[in-house]
Amino acid sequence: MNEDKFVQVGIRPPAEMRTAVPVKRRKDFPVVAAGVLAVIVLGCLFCGAVMTKDPAYMDLVNYSRPPDREFLFGTDTMGRDIFSMIWYGGRVSLLIGFLSTAVSTVIAVVFGSLSGMAPAWLDAVLMRAAEIILSIPNLLLVILIQAALGDANIWSISLVTGVTGWTSIAKVVRTEVRQMRESEYVVASRCMGGGFFHILWKHLTPNFISSIMFMAVMNVRTAIVSESTLSFIGIGLPLEIISWGSMLSLSEKALLSNAWWIILAPGAFLVVTLLCITDIGSFLRKNRKQSNL
Amino acid sequence: MRHPFLYAAQKALVFVLSVLLLSLAVFYVSRLAPGDPLISYYGERAEKMTVEERARAEEKLGLNAPVYVQYIRWLEGALHGDFGISYKYKTDVLEVIRGRAANTLLLGGAGFLIIFGLAILLGIFCAWFEDRLPDRILCRVGTISSCIPEFWLALVFILIFAVTLRILPSSGAYSVGKGGSLSDRIRHLILPLAVVVLEHLWYYAYMIRNKLLEEVRAEYVLLARSKGLGKRTVLFRHCLRNILPSYFSIMAISVPHILGGTYIVETVFSYPGLGTLSYESARYHDYNLLMVLSILSGMTVILCSIIAQVVNEYLDPRMRQGPEVEPDE
């Protein structure tokens, strides 16, 4: 049916009837968020060029100094320059975010597709197991494991947050895999002797990657929050390993002396980063159809 | 259709198995931890003990046996209602918990009610104004609020309201000597409650908004509209009613999230509830206390997810095939 036929018989061309699902438009891309995030990530990666002081140096004369021209964001209760620490510590926070997302995504993809490809009974067992794990409050689980592991470092925190955060992605992967496991290309590949990981990588992953993208990006956010929360309550990174979380673990002391910059400066960076990640994440979601209301 | 008795039995079995599994896991993990449980019982003295004294102390607390023997002993006691004593408080674990549970219940319960009352209102409001200015503004504010880590929001609130303005107390559940005063309790509750609500509200409001927006795209809405039904009637009579099952299941699965959030807030505000207690007990190897607390929160959570399933299946028989309840952000 082409449009000029409508016009010929005198009917309004169906321009107002936008029935087609609008394709994801480039102009929706969150430019501001991506730009700000790029500045933060680059600043952290090349922190040597941005920093004005040595972030680990404890200037014991100038402790808890409010922001001024020398110490742009002030100094913390141990006399370290907060401006330099933010860029230096951002590396650790971002690294933990990405590492833990990598861990959780890999576990989720393998577990989810295993469950999706498995016979019904095994699928039921695996999914119940995932549900039980999902049902434990995430942060509580992290706190329990981390308190049990004792001294934390970057790797253990990434591992713990990754290991506890894979269940919801796994469920999505499983549903997607179940839908396409009977499709011709999967069956064909299996007939030709393709193994589980071959099929997973060549045929399944390209199909479900778009639907887990958003959740993976959100996991980066969750991991960064977990790191800072753990460090704040004192079972995460110790003070010597500078990260946004360990910087905020001085806030209880800062509250006593009303040193607001120790709390607000790293926190603002943290929140802005999380916000940018969220914006980019929501862009990756699927678009919606036209409303009928 | 299964027999209702079988159905109940199946749910009960799942519940018991999950709790058992959870207790086993917590028991092993807590004992794997490096650190000395004797310190939490004997304090400083534990470090100066001789080898024989240590052995005697461990025997007294039942810590000398292999872990699986300890677990079986614990399980035996637990089935008789004896959960052991807290190493730190040196009284029955249940006694310790009883003193604190009400505080957490008050904070969590009030938070839960406020969150869900407001969430559905906000959700409807946003869905009504989809993609128009009010919706856009609320979505923006909401996204920002949900990006702020809980503990940091709590810190900023303390900084503003307790340190700078000095109008609200920064910690505790009541002032010393005023334990019975209701207004004093409420004053202590305002800040923690505000943090709990602000932190979770948007997550659920957004979920409800999105569910509603999915619903208004259904064909029946087009039919109802073309038959001449008003927007409001369609939204409230049809769409809202259709998303109610998911509203209830969201409520049930939200319990662990809100519970976890309450725990963090309690720690920041030094609010004497179960959260601070769990944290202490995990940190200082107060095994018996930790076990009961984890099982308590685990039980609540598992119970809630079972309730969510049952409610769902009752309201929507299609769900019996397998629940697909997942929180999407």
Side-chain angles (χ1 to χ4, degrees), chain A residues 30-83:
Chain A
V31 185
V32 180
V36 173
L37 191 63
V39 169
I40 292 177
V41 171
L42 287 177
C44 292
L45 279 180
F46 303 105
C47 59
V50 190
M51 289 190 305
T52 52
K53 303 258 175 204
D54 176 5
Y57 176 67
M58 299 183 193
D59 190 346
L60 294 177
V61 185
N62 292 314
Y63 70 91
S64 296
R65 276 267 293 263
D68 56 23
R69 203 165 284 169
E70 194 188 352
F71 304 101
L72 290 174
F73 290 162
T75 60
D76 68 5
T77 54
M78 291 149 77
R80 297 179 292 183
D81 177 43
I82 292 182
F83 180 74

Side-chain angles (χ1 to χ4, degrees), chain A residues 29-45 87 94 98 217 220 224 244 269-281:
Chain A
F29 186 77
V31 185
V32 180
V36 173
L37 191 63
V39 169
I40 292 177
V41 171
L42 287 177
C44 292
L45 279 180
W87 298 105
L94 294 174
F98 288 113
V217 171
V220 177
I224 294 179
W244 292 338
F269 264 73
L270 187 65
V271 172
V272 169
T273 311
L274 297 175
L275 194 58
C276 294
I277 294 177
T278 313
D279 275 353
I280 293 172

Side-chain angles (χ1 to χ4, degrees), chain B residues 242-256:
Chain B
N242 271 337
I243 67 152
L244 276 186
S246 38
Y247 179 64
F248 287 122
S249 63
I250 290 171
M251 271 177 99
I253 52 172
S254 75
V255 171

Side-chain angles (χ1 to χ4, degrees), chain B:
Chain B
M1 180 65 206
R2 275 166 294 180
H3 195 272
F5 179 74
L6 265 178
Y7 180 72
Q10 186 205 4
K11 293 282 172 217
L13 191 70
V14 168
F15 179 71
V16 171
L17 268 184
S18 314
V19 172
L20 261 182
L21 210 70
L22 182 73
S23 74
L24 192 67
V26 175
F27 200 88
Y28 266 87
V29 169
S30 64
R31 273 157 180 79
L32 280 178
D36 191 356
L38 292 185
I39 291 182
S40 87
Y41 191 86
Y42 292 100
E44 294 285 297
R45 258 192 309 143
E47 284 168 22
K48 296 188 209 105
M49 281 183 181
T50 59
V51 181
E52 295 91 69
E53 275 176 330
R54 273 194 76 89
R56 216 173 307 134
E58 282 188 350
E59 199 185 328
K60 185 180 153 205
L61 297 178
L63 293 170
N64 53 345
V67 179
Y68 66 91
V69 178
Q70 288 184 38
Y71 179 71
I72 293 171
R73 259 190 229 154
W74 177 86
L75 196 63
E76 244 174 13
L79 290 178
H80 291 101
D82 171 21
F83 293 95
I85 59 162
S86 155
Y87 297 163
K88 191 180 167 206
Y89 297 92
K90 304 192 177 50
T91 47
D92 190 67
V93 168
L94 295 180
E95 284 297 311
V96 179
I97 292 176
R98 201 167 295 147
R100 302 274 200 110
N103 288 335
T104 297
L105 218 59
L106 186 64
L107 180 58
F112 187 82
L113 290 181
I114 296 177
I115 289 169
F116 276 95
L118 287 179
I120 196 156
L121 290 181
L122 266 180
I124 294 173
F125 185 80
C126 285
W128 183 262
F129 288 105
E130 185 195 350
D131 274 345
R132 277 183 281 163
L133 198 62
D135 178 42
R136 284 216 205 123
I137 293 175
L138 271 176
C139 281
R140 202 65 212 144
V141 174
T143 318
I144 295 173
S145 84
S146 64
C147 275
I148 301 175
E150 205 147 30
F151 74 94
W152 193 68
L153 189 64
L155 283 173
V156 172
F157 274 11
I158 295 180
L159 198 62
I160 296 174
F161 294 104
V163 177
T164 311
L165 298 177
R166 293 171 190 284
I167 45 174
L168 288 169
S170 68
S171 66
Y174 47 84
S175 317
V176 180
K178 284 198 208 159
S181 149
L182 186 68
S183 66
D184 184 60
R185 288 231 168 199
I186 292 177
R187 268 166 53 80
H188 279 84
L189 203 59
I190 294 177
L191 283 186
L193 197 59
V195 176
V196 171
V197 169
L198 282 178
E199 198 60 34
H200 293 278
L201 178 59
W202 184 246
Y203 186 84
Y204 299 108
Y206 194 58
M207 247 196 240
I208 292 167
R209 168 188 181 268
N210 285 349
K211 286 271 178 227
L212 267 177
L213 289 187
E214 260 170 47
E215 203 58 39
V216 297
R217 278 158 180 76
E219 303 269 280
Y220 74 84
V221 176
L222 193 59
L223 176 70
R225 289 286 286 156
S226 49
K227 275 167 67 180
L229 276 180
K231 243 180 121 172
R232 194 179 306 150
T233 325
V234 177
L235 189 66
F236 283 89
R237 285 264 180 83
H238 297 280
C239 299
L240 200 59
R241 196 175 281 185
N242 271 337
I243 67 152
L244 276 186
S246 38
Y247 179 64
F248 287 122
S249 63
I250 290 171
M251 271 177 99
I253 52 172
S254 75
V255 171
H257 294 258
I258 295 179
L259 202 67
T262 316
Y263 282 13
I264 299 293
V265 171
E266 280 180 10
T267 326
V268 184
F269 285 101
S270 329
Y271 186 85
L274 298 183
T276 37
L277 205 61
S278 320
Y279 169 68
E280 265 175 29
S281 62
R283 193 89 208 264
Y284 302 110
H285 308 286
D286 200 339
Y287 293 149
N288 291 335
L289 191 57
L290 178 64
M291 283 301 286
V292 177
L293 285 170
S294 341
I295 289 175
L296 212 61
S297 46
M299 250 161 68
T300 322
V301 167
I302 298 168
L303 208 62
C304 286
S305 79
I306 290 181
I307 291 176
Q309 271 181 34
V310 173
V311 169
N312 263 332
E313 290 170 9
Y314 177 71
L315 291 174
D316 183 354
R318 282 171 303 178
M319 288 286 198
R320 274 183 207 139
Q321 296 307 314
E324 290 295 337
V325 188
E326 33 198 70
D328 67 330
E329 207 150 341

